Amino acid sequence: MKITPTKPFILRCFLISLFLSLPFLFLHLFSPQPPNHTITTTTTKDLTTSSKTTSKDLTIRPGYSSYETYIQRQLNKTLNPKLRKIWTTRDWNRKIPIFAKFFSELKDKNLLTKTSKALCIGARVGQEVEALRRNGVVDSIGMDLVPYPPLVVKGDFHNQPFDNDTFDFEFSNVFDHALYPQKFVAEIERTLKPNGVCVLHVALSRRADKYSANDLYSVQPLVELFKNSVLLHVRGVDGFGLDTELKWGR
């Protein structure tokens, strides 16, 4: 005998099947799906590790858990009242003539002129700026974490507060304080005009002070950081504990 299922029976079977399949449907809809592209999230920890430039001849000192920790350590030096008094009294009279001599030699080589727009990076209280102005380079300014008007404005050398192609000349003797050497150099090249000149004083034969963020053991890794400039000259100097001078042309 042929049995034909009734409509209520078919409906009950359908509803039972639907009910049993609901858990699998929800599992599919709400479970994590593999993305069709890669999303990279950058954290402070990433910035304090992967972004740093390191090699056997350029090493980053450990101990900075965040960029804020690094900045605070630098401020501990810059805001030290005893140091600031020394910088504006004894060191002021001792260092300015030495800086003025360095800049006068650059003028003699036509690497610096009275009409140059100049920046001193990490200038503290502006001894280098005063030396430039005494050499007739009146359009000169310094930059540091703590301003010292009228010679020094506030700024972070990892992210200079200036437009592209602003300066004809940039000078710094604080490369050893850069936590991110690659960013330090990239900002110089960004703000330096085409045909501009950059001069750095660095320490190779001795370790820099306790506030330094990196140690440089040869000029090679520093030279390699400059991607859009030509190395003009390297020479030994006696620059207040710094022993090597490097010059680049943009």
Side-chain angles (χ1 to χ4, degrees):
M1 172 190 280
K2 184 177 181 182
I3 299 176
T4 304
T6 63
K7 290 184 178 180
F9 176 77
I10 295 174
L11 181 60
R12 284 198 301 273
C13 291
F14 172 76
L15 291 175
I16 291 171
S17 300
L18 180 62
F19 178 76
L20 292 175
S21 66
L22 283 177
F24 298 98
L25 179 62
F26 278 96
L27 181 64
H28 175 74
L29 289 176
F30 296 103
S31 63
Q33 299 297 312
N36 56 7
H37 57 84
T38 301
I39 299 176
T40 302
T41 302
T42 302
T43 64
T44 302
K45 184 177 181 181
D46 295 329
L47 288 175
T48 56
T49 54
S50 61
S51 297
K52 297 175 186 174
T53 302
T54 58
S55 70
K56 67 181 183 65
D57 285 338
L58 175 56
T59 60
I60 305 301
R61 295 186 181 182
Y64 298 109
S65 59
S66 67
Y67 192 67
E68 290 72 23
T69 303
Y70 157 78
I71 290 294
Q72 187 56 56
R73 181 162 177 76
Q74 298 305 309
L75 288 174
N76 289 343
K77 177 177 183 178
T78 306
L79 291 174
N80 185 303
K82 291 183 178 179
L83 289 176
R84 293 189 77 80
K85 183 177 181 180
I86 291 173
W87 294 337
T88 55
T89 55
R90 185 187 71 192
D91 275 7
W92 185 266
N93 297 320
R94 179 173 69 95
K95 290 186 176 182
I96 288 177
I98 304 300
F99 282 128
K101 182 180 178 182
F102 285 141
F103 297 140
S104 178
E105 292 171 354
L106 293 172
K107 286 178 62 181
D108 292 341
K109 296 176 181 178
N110 296 318
L111 297 175
L112 178 67
T113 69
K114 290 184 177 181
T115 59
S116 295
K117 185 177 180 66
L119 172 67
C120 295
I121 301 166
R124 305 300 186 200
V125 295
Q127 297 159 352
E128 307 95 310
V129 181
E130 178 64 23
L132 280 166
R133 293 183 178 185
R134 291 186 185 184
N135 265 286
V137 188
V138 294
D139 193 1
S140 304
I141 195 67
M143 177 188 69
D144 207 291
L145 291 173
V146 178
Y148 191 78
L151 299 177
V152 180
V153 299
K154 183 177 181 179
D156 183 343
F157 51 53
H158 293 109
N159 186 21
Q160 290 189 23
F162 307 110
D163 293 335
N164 297 350
D165 305 333
T166 297
F167 299 101
D168 302 293
F169 177 81
E170 297 194 27
F171 170 81
S172 183
N173 58 4
V174 298
F175 174 77
D176 58 292
H177 288 269
L179 184 63
Y180 303 107
Q182 185 174 6
K183 186 63 175 173
F184 178 94
V185 171
E187 282 296 277
I188 290 175
E189 293 195 306
R190 180 183 68 80
T191 57
L192 195 63
K193 293 179 181 179
N195 300 316
V197 173
C198 168
V199 177
L200 299 184
H201 286 182
V202 298
L204 297 181
S205 63
R206 63 184 295 274
R207 302 284 51 82
D209 68 37
K210 65 180 182 179
Y211 295 97
S212 299
N214 70 70
D215 290 298
L216 184 66
Y217 298 93
S218 78
V219 300
Q220 190 59 35
L222 177 54
V223 171
E224 291 175 354
L225 290 177
F226 281 82
K227 306 299 183 183
N228 302 303
S229 307
V230 177
L231 182 65
L232 301 176
H233 188 65
V234 179
R235 68 164 183 161
V237 294
D238 182 8
F240 314 111
L242 307 180
D243 53 44
T244 305
E245 180 182 84
L246 300 93
K247 306 182 188 76
W248 285 268
R250 177 80 159 76

